[in-house]
Amino acid sequence: MPKPRIADTTGLDAITVWAEAHSEGRPTPRTDAATAVRYTLQALEDRAPGASVEVRVPPFGAVQCVEGPGHTRGTPPNVIELDADTWLELATGRTTWRAAVDANRVRASGTRADVSTWLPLVRR
């Protein structure tokens, strides 16, 4: 059974709440942060279908994406893990992949663990 999709209006509203809180230096309500992360991960899955890279944004979600050799069990060979704020900054174009990697805000392992081609996912 496929995961239920987050509607565009719901996802974009959550991103707006995150962006306003983030720019004011205050925490984002957990439900809005979770929805924003899940919505942008959903957008990444849509834009880069496949199963060769796993993107993890704990505790809110993880997706497999990018065309290429997939995996069936255990830890995938290409993993990207980052916190929610870093992911949302990348997904909205507030920072670049290179800047986030250089600042050690992204943990990426594997030769295919780079999703910069598909970023940003939304503009808010």
Side-chain angles (χ1 to χ4, degrees), residues 31-81:
T31 56
D32 291 306
T35 299
V37 166
R38 291 176 185 141
Y39 178 72
T40 52
L41 288 173
Q42 171 183 290
L44 178 62
E45 275 185 301
D46 292 346
R47 191 172 286 177
S52 69
V53 176
E54 185 166 293
V55 178
R56 300 174 180 168
V57 185
F60 301 123
V63 295
Q64 291 183 2
C65 56
V66 182
E67 204 172 293
H71 69 280
T72 56
R73 337 184 305 202
T75 302
N78 300 289
V79 176
I80 298 166
E81 189 167 327

